[in-house]
Amino acid sequence: MGDDAYLNSFRLILASRAFRSAGLIFMALSLPLYLLLNRISIVNVGIIYVGTALANVSVTIAIGMLGDRIGYKYSLVFGEIPALLASGILAFTRSVPLIVIATVISGSAGAPGGMRGSFSVGITPYLARIWQEPSIRIERMAQITFVASIASIGGSLLLYLHGFITRIYGDLGAFEILYHVAFILILLSFVSLTMIRRDRRQKKTTKFLRKETMKFSARVIITNVINGSAIGFSMALISAWFEIRYGVSASKIGLVFTISYITTAIGSLLASRIHISRERAVYFGSLTRILQGILLIAMAASPIFIMGSTIYIVRTVVAGFGTPIRNVVNIQGIKDEDLGTASSIQGAPSRIMQSTSGIAGYLMDYYPPLPVEIGGLIQIVGGFVYFKLLRRY
């Protein structure tokens, strides 16, 4: 079990995840809509998000490698700076070029699901360094996911409030006011992380990764390449997809995501309460990913908003349950001294492949259900590959 002295740091991390989730989720949900409002086409929005994915990769790898050498607390702190800068730009300017730059550095590529604010560079290695037992790691990761999912409601409620603020300040003015709130929330997250206890360092004996770590990480990378491309197709522009597919307002989209974050939290709570053996963790991780893909295809085929949004909400329960389990499985074959670099390297291909959002923008302009259907099919394949490659770990 982890050192009791770190429990206060864990509480500060939970506070950070709460603040971060509310602010980052609002940015992830609102930015595609904000770009459309600034007369940027959905095709160009998709291309912008390619830049977001690639920028995210560069920051993630650099900070992950730094964490192995100076401690994962600093990975967490430095990893918060891009979102802080992006929210500041969005809060204090309406310049379209600067808004595009803020989108690129925001780190908001990928799905704006309830786990979106849970994970940042260093979080998994920091916890793994303190708690060695896999079941406790799953419990801690599930607690973080639960808190972040509940706090994500704040971000979706901010989007829901946009409709009311618009009546006074107009569409652009309403977004600008809400980005001020997001900036304050992410600043609070940053401050919380500066106060956590420094993790126990382990001497780094290699310049990059040990051979054993590289062999295991290669398996995880393959699964992440597949899943990342699925996310890029189906989820990176999901808030814009709801608007284009069903012609609904930002407030209605915000309400759907508010409910989805509650259901994501329920899934995470289940993961923390059910004891899952090491042997069965990969099975559950694989099964939940397959179910997520099936539900994506069903959502894309739904002809009306209420049906599509309901299926999306059901999918978030499955995602909330499976994500903390997979995050623990993905570090089982990593040596302690490689945790930061390996977790960053594992995540990088997923973020790179999320650049399929550029293709998704074109497809969405042509036939809105198509990119989500493609993403669902890829995620189903990814679930089977995940089980095949990682079951012996």
Side-chain angles (χ1 to χ4, degrees):
M1 185 173 291
D3 186 351
D4 287 343
Y6 282 95
L7 290 178
N8 187 55
S9 291
F10 184 67
R11 296 186 188 102
L12 285 168
I13 288 174
L14 290 178
S16 164
R17 301 303 91 175
F19 293 131
R20 184 177 195 270
S21 292
L24 197 63
I25 283 295
F26 173 70
M27 287 204 296
L29 289 174
S30 65
L31 275 171
L33 302 175
Y34 194 42
L35 292 170
L36 290 175
L37 189 61
N38 278 281
R39 299 182 179 180
I40 298 175
S41 70
I42 188 60
V43 172
N44 287 328
V45 170
I47 293 171
I48 290 168
Y49 268 80
V50 173
T52 306
L54 296 178
N56 202 358
V57 169
S58 303
V59 171
T60 297
I61 294 176
I63 295 177
M65 294 177 67
L66 184 67
D68 281 339
R69 289 159 175 79
I70 66 174
Y72 301 125
K73 167 183 174 174
Y74 300 105
S75 292
L76 286 166
V77 172
F78 294 148
E80 210 74 349
I81 292 175
L84 189 62
L85 289 174
S87 59
I89 292 171
L90 293 167
F92 297 105
T93 182
R94 291 192 189 180
S95 164
V96 173
L98 287 177
I99 290 169
V100 171
I101 291 172
T103 304
V104 170
I105 68 172
S106 66
S108 62
M115 289 84 65
R116 187 67 189 81
S118 307
F119 305 107
S120 59
V121 184
I123 188 69
T124 303
Y126 185 90
L127 297 178
R129 181 62 55 82
I130 299 165
W131 287 282
Q132 301 297 319
E133 174 58 39
S135 62
I136 296 175
R137 288 177 176 177
I138 290 177
E139 181 181 350
R140 292 287 183 258
M141 294 303 298
Q143 288 170 340
I144 285 176
T145 307
F146 175 77
V147 168
S149 299
I150 291 295
S152 296
I153 295 170
S156 58
L157 284 177
L158 288 176
L159 185 61
Y160 178 70
L161 290 173
H162 175 268
F164 299 95
I165 301 174
T166 295
R167 298 172 187 174
I168 303 173
Y169 296 99
D171 279 340
L172 291 173
F175 274 120
E176 188 175 358
I177 289 170
L178 293 169
Y179 284 129
H180 277 81
V181 178
F183 173 72
I184 293 170
L185 289 167
I186 295 173
L187 179 61
L188 289 171
S189 173
F190 177 82
V191 171
S192 299
L193 292 174
T194 62
M195 295 189 291
I196 67 175
R197 187 177 180 182
R198 185 173 177 173
D199 50 292
R200 291 184 289 258
R201 292 180 61 192
Q202 177 159 323
K203 186 177 180 181
K204 182 75 172 167
T205 60
T206 59
K207 290 184 178 180
F208 190 56
L209 294 175
R210 293 170 66 91
K211 184 178 179 181
E212 304 95 307
T213 298
M214 291 181 67
K215 288 176 65 177
F216 173 78
S217 293
R219 293 171 177 262
V220 177
I221 285 170
I222 292 170
T223 68
N224 284 347
V225 165
I226 298 171
N227 194 60
S229 63
I231 291 173
F233 273 112
S234 60
M235 300 300 292
L237 306 175
I238 190 65
S239 57
W241 183 83
F242 273 113
E243 180 183 289
I244 292 169
R245 176 79 166 100
Y246 301 112
V248 294
S249 67
S251 290
K252 286 186 177 180
I253 295 169
L255 185 60
V256 168
F257 280 92
T258 297
I259 298 170
S260 76
Y261 297 142
I262 297 172
T263 52
T264 301
I266 292 171
S268 301
L269 186 62
L270 289 172
S272 68
R273 297 293 176 86
I274 299 174
H275 179 75
I276 298 172
S277 67
R278 187 187 302 232
E279 293 75 19
R280 301 195 70 186
V282 173
Y283 171 78
F284 279 104
S286 171
L287 179 61
T288 51
R289 186 163 280 177
I290 292 168
L291 288 175
Q292 285 176 254
I294 292 170
L295 290 168
L296 275 177
I297 294 172
M299 182 181 80
S302 302
I304 57 175
F305 175 66
I306 187 68
M307 184 184 297
S309 59
T310 299
I311 294 172
Y312 176 80
I313 288 166
V314 172
R315 182 182 179 275
T316 60
V317 180
V318 180
F321 182 80
T323 299
I325 296 171
R326 284 192 298 272
N327 273 278
V328 172
V329 170
N330 292 354
I331 61 170
Q332 288 305 303
I334 299 175
K335 299 297 181 182
D336 278 358
E337 66 180 88
D338 295 330
L339 282 167
T341 302
S343 59
S344 297
I345 294 297
Q346 286 179 5
S350 176
R351 294 178 176 89
I352 291 172
M353 294 308 297
Q354 286 170 22
S355 60
T356 53
S357 60
I359 304 172
Y362 281 97
L363 296 177
M364 202 178 297
D365 190 49
Y366 170 70
Y367 180 60
L370 186 57
V372 178
E373 291 170 348
I374 293 173
L377 285 170
I378 295 173
Q379 195 160 54
I380 291 170
V381 172
F384 285 107
V385 173
Y386 187 87
F387 183 77
K388 176 79 172 176
L389 293 180
L390 297 177
R391 59 184 174 180
R392 78 183 185 91
Y393 290 94

